[in-house]
Amino acid sequence: MQPKGTRGLVVVSLLLLLVSPAAGLSAGFSLSFDEAAAKNRPVSKVITLLKDMLKQLEKEAEDDEEIYDKMACWCETNDKEKTKSIAEAEAHIEDLTTEIAELTAQSSQLNTEIKNEEKEVAKNQDALDKATALREKQLAEFNAEEKDLLESISALKAAITVLSKHHSGSLLQMPRSHMLGVAATLQHEMSKHASLLQGVLTRSERRAAASFVQAPADYFDAAPTFKQSYAPQSGEIFGILRQMKETF
């Protein structure tokens, strides 16, 4: 594509080519050449005007050519830069697309892991709740058992205290209420803690305890003459009570 000034220059040049021969023909029919008259002829004026226009157009063509060269250089440079920018942008878009796909896959994987962890947490929480409930139940049972054993120990201590007063050699007769109290305590504790006392008391000790519970008066004769027969029997019951207390 030619600059606008160049096209005008071509047109004027063609006109000069057309007018110049006509001027020459007019001069050929004249026998003499009058320079002043020639300048005043219309054709000469047109030629002069065209020459001036030609000079102006040549100058404009040069200016247009310079501008055209600059524009062409700018377009070429800008086209390269734009092409490069587009290529870089497309490459960046491709990288981002790949990264988005990878992050989407990671997000899906993390969501799956989170769901699995939530299930695991819920499972562990349920196990913890059950374990806590079991421990609380065991603690309550332990506290109740401990309280029961402390009560049993206290009852056995009282029975041993009552029995020791007569086992130590005192000839005083044991009140009937005390005898029945000791027998009731022995019977109650042996029945209540049968599993705990399993293997602690021998068969002979169990038979002696059963005999004492059935007839406590036979172990504590009132007459001093029976002191020697009384002591071994009461001593056996005394030993059984102490052994039970130590076991608890």
Side-chain angles (χ1 to χ4, degrees), residues 1-12:
M1 180 179 179
Q2 293 181 340
K4 183 177 179 182
T6 304
R7 292 198 300 272
L9 180 62
V10 172
V11 173
V12 173

Side-chain angles (χ1 to χ4, degrees), residues 42-199:
V43 175
S44 297
K45 291 181 179 180
V46 171
I47 292 172
T48 301
L49 180 61
L50 289 174
K51 287 181 178 180
D52 292 339
M53 290 178 63
L54 181 60
K55 290 179 181 180
Q56 181 65 28
L57 288 173
E58 286 177 348
K59 184 177 181 304
E60 291 179 357
E62 291 177 359
D63 295 340
D64 289 345
E65 187 70 23
E66 183 180 356
I67 294 173
Y68 176 80
D69 290 341
K70 291 181 179 180
M71 288 294 295
C73 180
W74 180 84
C75 290
E76 183 179 357
T77 303
N78 189 59
D79 180 66
K80 290 181 180 179
E81 292 178 352
K82 293 297 181 183
T83 302
K84 181 180 178 183
S85 298
I86 291 172
E88 291 176 350
E90 289 177 348
H92 187 54
I93 290 172
E94 185 176 354
D95 292 340
L96 289 176
T97 302
T98 303
E99 186 177 359
I100 288 171
E102 292 175 353
L103 291 176
T104 301
Q106 291 179 3
S107 176
S108 178
Q109 181 180 358
L110 290 174
N111 286 332
T112 302
E113 291 178 358
I114 289 172
K115 290 181 180 179
N116 292 335
E117 291 298 329
E118 288 177 347
K119 290 180 181 179
E120 189 67 22
V121 169
K123 181 180 177 181
N124 292 334
Q125 185 63 45
D126 182 62
L128 178 62
D129 293 341
K130 290 180 179 178
T132 301
L134 179 61
R135 295 296 180 271
E136 290 176 352
K137 179 182 178 182
Q138 291 175 341
L139 178 61
E141 291 175 351
F142 172 78
N143 291 334
E145 184 178 357
E146 183 182 36
K147 179 181 178 181
D148 184 59
L149 288 175
L150 291 175
E151 290 176 353
S152 297
I153 291 172
S154 178
L156 289 172
K157 281 183 177 180
I160 290 172
T161 300
V162 171
L163 191 59
S164 64
K165 292 180 180 180
H166 302 276
H167 178 69
S168 59
S170 174
L171 300 180
L172 294 177
Q173 184 180 10
M174 177 182 288
R176 177 178 175 80
S177 60
H178 290 184
M179 285 189 297
L180 294 177
V182 172
T185 298
L186 181 60
Q187 182 182 22
H188 176 74
E189 300 304 332
M190 287 186 66
S191 174
K192 188 175 183 180
H193 301 290
S195 58
L196 184 61
L197 295 173
Q198 189 73 28

Side-chain angles (χ1 to χ4, degrees), residues 32-41 44:
S32 63
F33 178 74
D34 186 352
E35 184 178 356
K39 291 181 178 180
N40 292 325
R41 283 196 292 267
S44 297

